[in-house]
Amino acid sequence: SQQGEEDPQALSIQEGENATMNCSYKTSINNLQWYRQNSGRGLVHLILIRSNEREKHSGRLRVTLDTSKKSSSLLITASRAADTASYFCATGPLNAGGTSYGKLTFGQGTILTVHP
Amino acid sequence: GAVVSQHPSWVICKSGTSVKIECRSLDFQATTMFWYRQFPKQSLMLMATSNEGSKATYEQGVEKDKFLINHASLTLSTLTVTSAHPEDSSFYICSAPRAPGPYEQYFGPGTRLTVT
């Protein structure tokens, strides 16, 4: 089942601007990840933030996690046309073993369009 | 980095026929792989967990007799859509956990299935 909700569903910005996407989830988690998907392609792992972390950076990406609000945000700074893609958050459950091994629950995604 | 491949990348079949999709981990061993289905402009829905040497674990609502999964080796999992119908048309994506894991995933490029 989908537990993540993302907003906005679609975001259109100009090159050079920052893009912020939000994700909310419902259950307790071990970690939260963000993935990118270009149209009709597989997913690429961007960044993982653990439940005991509040903020993480990777290049132009900044992820925050607020476990009290069960929410996360992904900020892409100085966006480029090549950043145009769908972005999904995914959560890993607290229990890594048994039938939960490696399972991810994906959010609905945000379609980002960066205009040159 | 590790790569997961899928074959074929797209397939068109007639209603009532069966289609096999392969998912391979190219440079690492994967005792567990995951199969997702994605409808246009929607998120990924986990269908099943493929376990090497044992039966697959299916998510609620997924018909195991319709979506046959075989994880015959540490680098290959196959998904067979049996007696396909137009409503099975979708984008099928596999993934495999990557180190340090288990939640970070390498995703295949996906297989577009169209049933006519």
Side-chain angles (χ1 to χ4, degrees):
Chain A
S1 63
Q2 295 293 313
Q3 79 152 337
E5 294 185 1
E6 294 177 64
D7 75 272
Q9 290 187 333
L11 180 61
S12 182
I13 59 175
Q14 294 295 126
E15 210 166 28
E17 295 180 340
N18 296 340
T20 300
M21 290 159 267
N22 303 296
C23 166
S24 62
Y25 57 93
K26 298 175 182 175
T27 62
S28 296
I29 61 172
N30 173 284
N31 64 82
L32 186 143
Q33 304 174 50
W34 286 88
Y35 286 85
R36 165 199 169 116
Q37 182 182 35
N38 287 77
S39 181
R41 308 291 294 273
L43 275 70
V44 175
H45 181 266
L46 295 176
I47 195 167
L48 177 149
I49 186 167
R50 303 195 185 282
S51 59
N52 61 352
E53 297 176 308
R54 291 296 167 258
E55 187 171 313
K56 204 162 184 180
H57 297 254
S58 177
R60 294 185 295 114
L61 306 180
R62 173 178 169 255
V63 169
T64 62
L65 178 64
D66 187 336
T67 53
S68 66
K69 295 181 179 178
K70 291 186 167 56
S71 67
S72 173
S73 68
L74 170 68
L75 168 67
I76 303 175
T77 60
S79 64
R80 306 165 182 168
D83 294 328
T84 295
S86 293
Y87 291 83
F88 294 92
C89 67
T91 55
L94 273 178
N95 178 17
T99 57
S100 295
Y101 182 86
K103 277 190 178 181
L104 295 176
T105 302
F106 281 85
Q108 295 303 311
T110 294
I111 301 172
L112 173 66
T113 303
V114 182
H115 300 281
Chain B
V3 176
V4 173
S5 70
Q6 282 185 241
H7 177 80
S9 56
W10 60 271
V11 57
I12 301 173
C13 70
K14 292 188 176 180
S15 190
T17 61
S18 295
V19 174
K20 180 185 286 188
I21 302 170
E22 294 184 347
C23 176
R24 292 182 186 272
S25 56
L26 296 185
D27 56 356
F28 67 103
Q29 294 182 335
T31 56
T32 300
M33 290 183 176
F34 299 93
W35 286 96
Y36 295 86
R37 180 165 53 182
Q38 185 181 31
F39 291 107
K41 297 188 177 181
Q42 295 190 23
S43 188
L44 280 73
M45 293 291 295
L46 179 64
M47 298 175 66
T49 303
S50 174
N51 303 298
E52 190 270 335
S54 64
K55 291 183 180 180
T57 305
Y58 291 82
E59 295 300 300
Q60 192 173 7
V62 177
E63 299 176 59
K64 61 181 180 181
D65 293 331
K66 181 168 186 61
F67 299 99
L68 301 179
I69 291 173
N70 183 18
H71 197 142
S73 77
L74 288 171
T75 59
L76 174 63
S77 174
T78 61
L79 168 68
T80 301
V81 183
T82 63
S83 186
H85 292 284
E87 57 265 31
D88 298 323
S89 298
S90 188
F91 194 55
Y92 293 87
I93 308 175
C94 69
S95 73
R98 70 179 214 180
Y103 294 119
E104 294 107 316
Q105 306 273 333
Y106 287 112
F107 281 82
T111 296
R112 174 78 57 195
L113 170 63
T114 302
V115 184
T116 61

